[in-house]
């Protein structure tokens, strides 16, 4: 079965057709910038362009979206327009795209893909999957079962929240060296370890491919690994969530 998977991030939107049985993206990945402001109308415009690009006539579309999503409603908006707070996202997107659209949190989507096809495959106990990109997303699994919408990037830190210090955009914005940025990441991982005692932490998102540049600065008493699926995880997981 083929499903169109869409990963909406704070900076970019990535789209591809995913073969659900193999978990493989099978088309040519389509990328478009996340509009600013990222209002529902502007995002829908981008989604329509993506659907047109793939000439998508099938009914199913899965979308990973950077917000808490409960019962088809988006409830938060940290890196997108506040118009998404309490927005009937499944219904509005389905209407606009004339498809059966299912939206889930973007980190949850990427985590589901990583647990099925990547480093989390077959791992029992507590697995914490983090995406370090524009924001910080989290997906927590116990014996393979997801606890959705954990939002662990929003734990309080200094004058704000951890996502303002340990995300990839924080590293870029403050022009931090890998070493300096990794110090913040290390504080974050130690804090999460103290709260949750995970068995494994998987790092995904924009900086996962650079893991070798900062792993030596991490000093946390838990196994920390780079995610395997990297940038395609969000697309694959979004498609999986739709079925
Ligand atoms: C949002 C999360 C999202 C994460 C990664 C955060 O700012 O609150 O819902 O998963 O960014 O995109």
């Amino acid at each position: 079965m083929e499903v169109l998977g869409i990963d909406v991030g704070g900076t970019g939107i990535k789209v591809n057709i995913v073969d659900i049985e193999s978990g493989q993206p099978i088309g040519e990945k389509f990328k478009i910038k996340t509009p600013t402001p990222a209002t529902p109308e502007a995002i829908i415009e981008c989604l329509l362009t993506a659907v047109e690009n793939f000439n998508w006539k099938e009914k199913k579309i899965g979308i990973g979206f950077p917000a808490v999503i409960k019962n088809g409603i988006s409830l938060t908006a940290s890196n997108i327009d506040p118009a998404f707070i309490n927005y009937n996202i499944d219904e509005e997107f389905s209407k606009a795209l004339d498809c059966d659209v299912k939206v889930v949190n973007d980190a949850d989507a990427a985590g589901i893909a990583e647990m099925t096809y990547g480093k989390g495959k077959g791992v029992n106990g507590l697995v914490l999957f983090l995406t370090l990109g524009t924001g910080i997303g989290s997906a927590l699994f116990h014996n393979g079962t997801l606890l959705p919408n954990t939002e662990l990037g929003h734990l309080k830190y200094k004058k704000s929240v951890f996502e303002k210090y340990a995300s990839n955009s924080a590293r870029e914005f403050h022009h931090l060296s890998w070493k300096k940025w990794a110090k913040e990441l290390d504080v974050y991982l130690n804090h999460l370890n103290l709260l949750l005692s995970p068995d494994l932490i998987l790092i995904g998102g924009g900086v996962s491919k650079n893991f070798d540049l900062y792993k030596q600065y991490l000093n946390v008493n838990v196994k920390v690994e780079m995610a395997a699926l990297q940038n395609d995880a969000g697309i694959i997981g979004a498609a999986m969530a739709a079925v």
Side-chain angles (χ1 to χ4, degrees):
M1 180 184 195
E2 292 176 2
V3 173
L4 194 68
I6 305 183
D7 182 11
V8 178
T11 312
I13 300 177
K14 291 172 262 165
V15 192
N16 209 340
I17 300 168
V18 177
D19 174 64
I20 294 295
E21 279 73 38
S22 65
Q24 290 298 313
I26 48 181
E28 190 174 327
K29 186 156 57 182
F30 177 80
K31 290 192 204 169
I32 188 169
K33 270 195 166 175
T34 306
T36 27
T39 59
E41 295 73 30
I43 296 268
I44 285 173
E45 199 65 28
C46 296
L47 298 178
L48 282 168
T49 309
V51 168
E52 214 171 282
N53 174 76
F54 285 94
N55 197 17
W56 190 250
K57 301 263 185 268
E58 310 296 318
K59 278 290 159 205
K60 287 223 174 295
I61 298 182
I63 301 182
F65 199 76
V68 170
I69 310 287
K70 273 194 128 176
N71 305 319
I73 311 222
S74 51
L75 296 175
T76 59
S78 26
N79 291 308
I80 45 169
D81 194 83
F84 275 107
I85 297 174
N86 287 324
Y87 179 75
N88 214 333
I89 198 163
D90 274 8
E91 200 179 307
E92 294 295 338
F93 282 10
S94 294
K95 241 194 287 169
L97 303 183
D98 192 23
C99 271
D100 177 13
V101 179
K102 166 105 178 124
V103 184
V104 294
N105 173 263
D106 59 344
D108 285 347
I112 289 169
E114 190 65 31
M115 291 301 287
T116 313
Y117 301 108
K119 290 263 179 70
K121 191 174 171 187
V123 180
N124 275 324
L126 202 67
V127 180
L128 174 58
F129 172 83
L130 297 172
T131 58
L132 309 178
T134 309
I136 292 184
S138 59
L140 192 61
F141 296 84
H142 185 244
N143 292 341
T145 302
L146 172 71
L147 273 80
N149 294 309
T150 41
E151 293 289 328
L152 295 173
H154 290 265
L155 286 170
K156 297 275 178 278
Y157 180 53
K158 293 183 181 169
K159 289 185 181 143
S160 179
V161 292
F162 272 103
E163 111 171 339
K164 300 288 178 219
Y165 298 87
S167 62
N168 191 33
S169 62
R171 183 186 65 83
E172 288 173 349
F173 184 77
H174 299 291
H175 304 288
L176 299 179
S177 64
W178 287 107
K179 188 176 178 181
K180 272 212 157 148
W181 171 77
K183 275 196 177 162
E184 299 288 18
L185 179 60
D186 193 48
V187 174
Y188 181 48
L189 297 182
N190 273 289
H191 191 61
L192 291 170
N193 192 32
L194 184 78
L195 293 177
L196 301 167
S197 302
D199 297 287
L200 172 65
I201 297 180
L202 293 171
I203 306 283
V207 289
S208 65
K209 59 180 180 300
N210 303 109
F211 193 60
D212 281 348
L213 299 177
Y214 55 86
K215 68 173 182 208
Q216 66 268 34
Y217 306 121
L218 303 179
N219 184 16
V220 52
N221 194 16
V222 53
K223 194 151 94 178
V224 181
E225 287 184 4
M226 175 178 102
L229 302 186
Q230 306 208 346
N231 267 336
D232 282 339
I235 297 174
I236 298 168
M240 288 170 74
V243 290

